[in-house]
Amino acid sequence: LQTSRATALPSALSGIKRPARISMAWASVPPGGHGRVPVPAAAPWSLPVIGLPPALKRLDPALHRMLRPILACIMFSLLTGSFYVWSMLLPSLETSLGVSRTSLSGVASTANVCFTLGTVFGPKLFSHPHLSISGMALFCGWASTAGLLLASVVGVHYLPAMYLGWAAIFAGLLGAAYSLTLKITNSPIFKGYNGLATGIALSFRALGAPIVSPMVVAALATGGGA
């Protein structure tokens, strides 16, 4: 009896297909799925698993191609959100410029107008056939930085330079960057996920001021009011 069992067991197991071995690479599940599942990928080590349900095998590879564009949109949204730290600068600006809060409110009002104009006319600029998305992003980033530097170096001593640097250049190009973000998230890059990409990018715009605020506080505390 012992001998017959010893010979029967290997014969029975020989008909069972060996489970596949896959590495622990993870990917997102398309809408309608649940959680995250492992998918095949090359790796020096792997774990044996039982076959996956057919519905979970049909993962959308486009999700992987969307990672870098959505990260770029998030960074742009954080940049536009930093526009709202203006109120934290008012006490130091009143001292360095020797003007009243009323005079500085004109800078904020002009900046809001320029931001709106940048949002409205930015898409017209970006529709130029000879401009690439990366070129537009670099232009908005560097030009808005130049406006901010002008306001930081000259504008703290000369009010018209604050209007030009902060309100016209910095705020105007932030509006253009905002419209560029919407243009990217509604492009074919995120086909099928345009609404989700737009929601993610714009949600980080609200986090811009909270993230930048501690840096502003630290700069002011170390004598960086000017």
Side-chain angles (χ1 to χ4, degrees):
L1 181 59
Q2 294 291 342
T3 303
S4 61
R5 286 181 178 178
T7 57
L9 183 58
S11 300
L13 293 177
S14 63
I16 300 178
K17 186 177 181 180
R18 185 177 180 179
R21 300 177 70 86
I22 69 170
S23 64
M24 297 303 290
W26 298 91
S28 303
V29 179
H34 301 281
R36 304 164 70 204
V37 297
V39 296
W45 56 274
S46 58
L47 294 176
V49 297
I50 305 301
L52 298 173
L56 297 182
K57 292 181 179 179
R58 295 189 294 270
L59 301 177
D60 190 353
L63 292 175
H64 301 282
R65 296 194 299 269
M66 297 178 187
L67 180 59
R68 287 192 298 176
I70 195 62
L71 288 177
C73 292
I74 288 173
M75 297 303 296
F76 249 21
S77 293
L78 291 174
L79 171 67
T80 58
S82 66
F83 170 68
Y84 299 102
V85 300
W86 169 258
S87 59
M88 301 179 62
L89 306 175
L90 290 178
S92 297
L93 290 175
E94 289 178 11
T95 303
S96 62
L97 289 169
V99 297
S100 64
R101 185 69 59 91
T102 304
S103 300
L104 289 174
S105 65
V107 178
S109 300
T110 305
N112 285 318
V113 172
C114 292
F115 185 93
T116 303
L117 292 176
T119 303
V120 173
F121 293 103
K124 298 183 182 297
L125 173 65
F126 300 147
S127 61
H128 196 282
H130 298 294
L131 289 178
S132 64
I133 291 181
S134 59
M136 292 182 286
L138 288 173
F139 171 74
C140 289
W142 284 107
S144 61
T145 301
L148 187 59
L149 288 174
L150 175 62
S152 301
V153 177
V154 183
V156 292
H157 303 294
Y158 187 55
L159 187 58
M162 183 65 68
Y163 274 91
L164 177 61
W166 178 275
I169 301 177
F170 180 64
L173 286 169
L174 287 191
Y178 175 74
S179 66
L180 178 59
T181 301
L182 295 180
K183 179 181 178 68
I184 295 173
T185 57
N186 287 281
S187 70
I189 297 175
F190 297 99
K191 184 178 180 181
Y193 300 92
N194 297 101
L196 177 62
T198 301
I200 291 174
L202 295 188
S203 65
F204 277 87
R205 183 170 181 258
L207 295 175
I211 290 176
V212 176
S213 294
M215 304 178 191
V216 175
V217 172
L220 294 175
T222 56

